[in-house]
Amino acid sequence: QLARAGHLVTLYERADRIGGLLRYGIPDFKMEKQLIDRRMEQMAAEGVTFKPNTNVGVDVTAAALRAQFDAVVLSGGATLARDLPVPGRELKGIPFAMDFLPQQNKVVAGDTVPHQLSAKGKRVVILGGGDTGSDCLGTSNRQGAISVHQFELLPQPPDTRTDGVAPWPYWPMVLRTSSSHEEGVIRDWSINTKSFAGDAHGNVKQLHGVRLDWAKGNNGRPMMKEIPGGGFALDCD
């Protein structure tokens, strides 16, 4: 938009390719990267300059940017993942989604990724039932996972919109099934992960969880309670 208004625009990017989450967060089977490349070619023809592999604050200082440009727009993404601080979290084989997904995108793009995180021949558990978890599912199946479980902390949403959960015009809190789910997964809801157990080499080998009962508290908001006897252990890699 700035370029089309007549401004000279330079875009700095820390990663080796332009595109942010579209490039490295969304798998190619959901969005082919040629779409990004086509848009970049169009923008470059309109006068935008792209500078990947540039970590602002490290490779170029803020003072240098302010001296060279009339305005600086901060449009960086959120790359700090939400952790799960439970016993056994330090075991090998428990990566963040955004450590796992970009590596496969790089491989599809023709890069070589040493020691790539791969689900091939592994029993996989995905913690989180949203779009990112779905992307990890589709990637794990394509890499050749033996099995994939996907756990969600919250209860299973209804199949259709209900007045009690999300009346119109609120966003409909309904059960969503992606193409990745249709390719094969064991989904479960109201699961809280309590800890991980590993082998003698420090590799994760088991997830310990508990089933939850969600009920409204005194303030009317849902509260989770562990179901007595609802604990379980699941072998995983």
Side-chain angles (χ1 to χ4, degrees):
Q1 293 299 315
L2 288 168
R4 291 178 179 181
H7 299 285
L8 294 175
V9 181
T10 301
L11 189 145
Y12 292 90
E13 167 59 50
R14 179 174 56 183
D16 59 342
R17 292 183 176 92
I18 301 295
L21 281 175
L22 295 179
R23 176 74 67 179
Y24 283 135
I26 297 176
D28 288 69
F29 60 80
K30 278 179 62 174
M31 192 194 75
E32 296 176 341
K33 307 314 171 194
Q34 66 191 35
L35 301 174
I36 304 175
D37 297 335
R38 183 177 63 184
R39 176 54 60 91
M40 285 179 58
E41 291 174 3
Q42 172 189 317
M43 292 172 67
E46 294 173 347
V48 176
T49 299
F50 295 102
K51 291 192 175 182
N53 285 311
T54 306
N55 191 349
V56 173
V58 178
D59 301 321
V60 57
T61 65
L65 290 181
R66 295 186 66 181
Q68 183 179 356
F69 298 98
D70 300 301
V72 177
V73 177
L74 302 179
S75 59
T79 55
L80 182 63
R82 185 171 62 177
D83 208 342
L84 183 64
V86 297
R89 172 63 181 87
E90 73 285 352
L91 292 167
K92 290 179 285 186
I94 311 177
F96 289 118
M98 285 307 297
D99 290 333
F100 173 61
L101 293 173
Q103 292 189 4
Q104 181 62 25
N105 284 19
K106 287 177 178 287
V107 170
V108 174
D111 294 350
T112 299
V113 178
H115 311 294
Q116 180 191 0
L117 293 167
S118 175
K120 184 177 181 179
K122 293 182 170 63
R123 300 161 297 178
V124 177
V125 179
I126 298 168
L127 301 181
D131 282 343
T132 302
S134 175
D135 293 343
C136 291
L137 164 62
T139 300
S140 296
N141 279 334
R142 281 161 176 75
Q143 290 179 347
I146 295 175
S147 63
V148 184
H149 286 74
Q150 185 177 22
F151 291 157
E152 168 60 53
L153 183 69
L154 297 173
Q156 180 175 343
D159 292 327
T160 58
R161 184 198 290 271
T162 59
D163 290 340
V165 177
W168 189 91
Y170 291 105
W171 174 255
M173 297 293 292
V174 297
L175 179 64
R176 302 181 188 280
T177 299
S178 70
S179 58
S180 292
H181 293 128
E182 294 172 347
E183 292 169 357
V185 64
I186 303 168
R187 304 172 78 182
D188 210 342
W189 289 264
S190 296
I191 300 291
N192 190 20
T193 300
K194 302 289 287 184
S195 64
F196 301 100
D199 60 17
H201 302 288
N203 300 303
V204 65
K205 285 299 172 186
Q206 208 169 54
L207 178 148
H208 294 259
V210 63
R211 298 190 175 276
L212 302 173
D213 181 27
W214 288 87
K216 286 188 177 181
N218 296 330
N219 59 1
R221 300 187 63 178
M223 294 184 63
M224 64 179 187
K225 293 183 179 180
E226 296 183 2
I227 297 176
F232 66 92
L234 177 68
D235 292 338
C236 62
D237 303 302

